[in-house]
């Protein structure tokens, strides 16, 4: 069965591993800001892979995915900050965040999973907004979330004496906070990739695919579609919760405005742009959509100065313009995504014929 | 045949859609091991009967007793769990999954690996997965399309799609296999091959309920036949009797020809 570990693929694996290890130091040469961007790329890849379970595997359009991220982030913020004076360790908070997000997923899923397509999308969109508005308003009569001001001074990830937020020297190499988080994120991302892959090629993964293809036929052969869909929702939500926790720890600050609708749409765009249901595609989509806008921000001002001698459009508004254009172009020329799964590519190629 | 135990009993099943009475107190009995034909003109309520039995519709009156216990008409997946499998009049395969995967999905209801099994991929899960694959391959071979195992279901020929749908239904280990017009759109050769396949399934011990328009196929294959017309049962008897019943000839001109 070990067809994976041919000499060639092992060499590839070693090279990828080496690149992943070296990356934060290469990015670090351009400043720690680039390492942070890199971290966000991985965090978004993690989120996108979580959403991929719901959208890509089970075919359920979820426009409120950010709500679960928010639940995870606020769980960490409340359990590890001076706000309530609680400072639980990460190994306690992350599972709690995942479980709470999972519960939120089940809470949203149970009444709504009879809905299909557009209707489900609208309800999930509403749910995402409800969670954000809750976070915004739960500061009275009892101050739970501190409202729009958000929660500050959140604990970083600390393992024993090892603080992820501070720079330290390990074996004579200076490793900055963001670089440490990078390795943590890579580990988590590898975990979610493994989970995605294994779920996809399992009894459950096949059931999700069957529901996506034909729900009535899936019911007729004995798949409990409600439970299996709920499972997809809950699984996706738990990953959102874990990502949210790491986000809160990394930033040290959370506020409701980090969890707006546009974030949900961005994550969905990563999944769709990369290639729905195809793990490498989703990762590519997430990395591209995180890094490109940042690169654009650095490039726009000098390019405009060189061309026109003045700055005509500010980077922020151009970002949305380029983003929209990219989406339109991808949908026009690569409707299955930038890196679709082989089956999906075949499927769309046939339709064109 | 009358000494065989009863597998399915329909008791005064009624279903209406608005003012249209699709089923009027239909009662019939299917015995273990027989091929039972359900015929009737278009719109007579055959598929509605199927849908009530397999849980896609909830009957407005009456009910079913299956293998000695009432069939609770609340969720379609329960019917499959109890041992009722079906195919669809307009084939409903999982088009973008391979033929093999389609049959593997059919094993869902008889297997148990959950999320944790899938993620940890422990020994039990791996064994189960291998067994699912093996059984699916056997079934593809059984219906005679094992050479198309890795093709997408939607790329199969029409006859092969019908066969694949039967293989997928068989994967759920049904006690009762319900075929909704399996010969529709088939040519003579394909229909004959289908007849051989259905004979084989019966010989292997599965009871079959057959909705069909192809009169020759029904009369040649079925042990007993029920005729529906305007949602009501006209007659339930052996083909030789049904064929010559004047009510049937009236309801369904061409049956006796």
């Amino acid at each position: 069965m070990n067809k994976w570990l041919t000499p060639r693929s092992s060499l590839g694996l070693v090279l990828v591993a080496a690149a992943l290890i070296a990356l934060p130091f290469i990015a670090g040469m351009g400043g720690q800001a680039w390492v942070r961007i890199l971290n966000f790329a991985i965090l978004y890849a993690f989120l996108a892979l979580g959403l991929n379970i719901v959208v890509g595997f089970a075919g359920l359009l979820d426009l409120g995915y950010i709500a679960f991220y928010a639940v995870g982030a606020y769980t960490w913020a409340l359990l590890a900050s001076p706000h309530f004076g609680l400072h639980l360790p990460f190994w306690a908070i992350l599972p709690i965040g995942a479980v709470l997000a999972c519960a939120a997923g089940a809470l949203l899923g149970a009444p709504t999973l009879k809905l299909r397509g557009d209707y489900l999308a609208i309800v999930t969109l509403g749910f995402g907004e409800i969670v954000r508005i809750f976070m915004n308003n739960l500061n009275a009569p009892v101050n739970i979330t501190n409202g729009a001001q958000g929660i500050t001074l959140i604990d970083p990830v600390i393992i024993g004496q090892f603080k992820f937020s501070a720079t330290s020297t390990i074996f004579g190499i200076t490793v900055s906070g963001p670089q440490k988080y990078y390795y943590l994120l890579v580990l988590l991302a590898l975990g979610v990739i493994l989970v995605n892959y294994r779920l996809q090629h399992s009894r459950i993964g096949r059931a999700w695919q069957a529901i996506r293809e034909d729900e009535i036929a899936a019911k007729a052969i004995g798949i409990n579609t409600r439970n299996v869909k709920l499972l997809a929702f809950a699984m996706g939500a738990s990953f959102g919760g874990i990502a949210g926790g790491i986000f809160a720890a990394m930033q040290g600050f959370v506020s409701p405005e980090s969890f707006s609708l546009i974030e949900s749409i961005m994550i969905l765009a990563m999944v769709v742009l990369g290639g729905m249901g195809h793990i490498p595609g989703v990762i590519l989509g997430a990395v591209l959509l995180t890094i490109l806008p940042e690169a654009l921000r650095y490039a726009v001002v000098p390019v405009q100065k060189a061309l026109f001698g003045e700055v005509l459009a500010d980077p922020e508004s151009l970002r949305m313009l380029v983003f929209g254009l990219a989406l339109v172009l991808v949908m026009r020329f690569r409707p299955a995504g930038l890196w679709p799964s082989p089956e999906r590519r075949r499927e769309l190629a046939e339709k064109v014929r | 045949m009358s000494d065989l135990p009863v597998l399915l009993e329909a008791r005064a099943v009624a279903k209406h859609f608005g003012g249209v009475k699709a089923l009027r107190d239909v009662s019939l009995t299917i015995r273990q091991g027989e091929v039972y034909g359900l015929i009737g003109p278009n719109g007579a309520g055959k598929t509605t009967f199927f849908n009530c039995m397999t849980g896609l519709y909830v009957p407005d009156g009456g009910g079913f007793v299956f293998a000695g216990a009432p069939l609770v008409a609340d969720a379609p997946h329960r019917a499959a769990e109890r041992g009722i499998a079906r195919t669809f009049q307009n084939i409903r395969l999982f088009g973008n999954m391979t033929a093999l995967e389609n049959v593997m999905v059919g094993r869902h209801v008889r297997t148990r690996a959950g999320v944790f099994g899938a993620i940890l991929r422990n020994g039990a899960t791996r064994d189960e997965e291998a067994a699912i694959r093996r059984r699916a391959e056997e079934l593809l071979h059984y219906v005679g399309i094992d050479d198309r195992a890795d093709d997408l279901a939607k790329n199969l020929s029409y006859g092969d799609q019908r066969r694949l749908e039967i293989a997928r239904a068989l994967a759920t280990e049904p006690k009762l296999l319900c075929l909704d017009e399996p010969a529709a759109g088939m040519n003579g050769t394909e229909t004959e091959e289908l007849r051989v396949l259905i004979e084989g399934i019966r010989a292997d011990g599965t009871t079959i309920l057959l909705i069909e328009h192809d009169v020759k196929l029904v009369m040649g294959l079925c042990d007993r036949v029920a005729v529906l017309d305007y949602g009501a049962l006209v007659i339930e008897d052996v083909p030789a009797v049904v064929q010559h019943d004047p009510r049937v000839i009236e309801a369904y001109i061409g049956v006796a020809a």
Side-chain angles (χ1 to χ4, degrees), chain A residues 46-317:
Chain A
F46 187 100
L47 270 174
L49 284 170
L51 183 63
N52 183 46
I53 296 176
V54 185
V55 178
F57 293 168
L60 305 165
L61 187 50
D62 182 353
L63 289 181
Y65 188 63
I66 205 72
F68 309 122
Y69 184 61
V71 168
Y74 268 90
T75 304
W76 187 296
L78 295 176
L79 294 180
S81 75
H83 183 62
F84 284 147
L86 291 169
H87 297 280
L88 297 189
F90 84 99
W91 51 262
I93 310 174
L94 271 192
I96 294 173
V99 167
L100 284 180
C102 179
L107 193 73
L108 166 66
T112 56
L113 281 177
K114 281 193 173 168
L115 304 173
R116 258 177 247 174
D118 311 353
Y119 302 101
L120 180 67
I122 290 167
V123 174
T124 53
L125 187 153
F127 180 79
E129 285 297 283
I130 289 168
V131 168
R132 183 179 63 81
I133 293 165
F134 251 100
M135 303 305 182
N136 214 357
N137 292 297
L138 274 182
N139 55 347
V142 186
N143 186 1
I144 299 173
T145 63
N146 210 23
Q149 281 103 51
I151 296 169
T152 51
L153 298 172
I154 299 168
D155 297 353
V157 180
I158 304 168
I159 301 174
Q161 295 299 312
F162 191 78
K163 242 182 164 178
F164 276 75
S165 54
T167 304
S168 54
T169 309
I170 306 162
F171 305 126
I173 302 164
T174 312
V175 187
S176 70
Q179 283 167 337
K180 286 191 231 168
Y181 272 116
Y182 167 88
Y183 292 115
L184 180 69
L185 284 164
V186 165
L187 277 183
L188 286 171
L190 288 176
V192 74
I193 290 169
L194 182 78
V195 168
N196 253 263
Y197 180 81
R198 289 194 160 177
L199 279 176
Q200 189 175 17
H201 300 93
S202 75
R203 173 175 173 266
I204 302 291
R206 279 192 302 272
W208 284 335
Q209 209 184 339
I211 290 174
R212 200 181 68 197
E213 290 286 320
D214 188 330
E215 196 169 339
I216 292 191
K219 278 182 186 164
I221 56 167
I223 294 172
N224 185 336
T225 51
R226 196 200 47 178
N227 286 5
V228 171
K229 283 203 251 177
L230 207 53
L231 196 63
F233 243 72
M235 291 293 300
S238 329
F239 286 118
I242 294 172
I246 299 293
F247 168 76
M250 217 160 73
Q251 294 289 92
F253 167 70
V254 295
S255 79
E257 67 183 44
S258 303
F259 311 108
S260 58
L261 176 62
I262 190 74
E263 289 289 318
S264 279
I265 291 173
M266 278 301 260
I267 299 164
L268 185 66
M270 290 165 184
V271 175
V272 175
L273 206 78
M276 238 194 300
H278 189 225
I279 298 165
V282 171
I283 298 170
L284 176 73
V287 170
L288 277 183
L289 281 192
T290 321
I291 303 229
L292 281 186
E294 297 298 334
L296 195 71
R297 180 148 49 195
Y298 282 92
V300 157
V301 174
V303 166
Q304 286 190 63
K305 280 216 169 113
L307 284 178
F308 314 113
E310 56 182 325
V311 180
L312 297 172
D314 73 298
E316 198 50 34
S317 55

Side-chain angles (χ1 to χ4, degrees), chain A residues 198 203 206 213-214 347, chain B residues 92 96 108 111 113 119 129:
Chain A
R198 289 194 160 177
R203 173 175 173 266
R206 279 192 302 272
E213 290 286 320
D214 188 330
E347 176 186 321
Chain B
R92 301 191 84 127
N96 294 310
H108 184 92
T111 46
I119 294 172
E129 190 69 13

Side-chain angles (χ1 to χ4, degrees), chain A residues 13-26 38 182-183:
Chain A
L13 222 58
V14 169
L15 286 179
V16 169
L20 278 178
I21 291 170
L23 207 52
F25 291 99
I26 298 167
L38 202 60
Y182 167 88
Y183 292 115

Side-chain angles (χ1 to χ4, degrees), chain A residues 2-22:
Chain A
N2 244 336
K3 59 187 172 194
W4 281 74
L5 287 178
T6 58
R8 242 183 102 178
S9 67
S10 336
L11 179 68
L13 222 58
V14 169
L15 286 179
V16 169
L20 278 178
I21 291 170

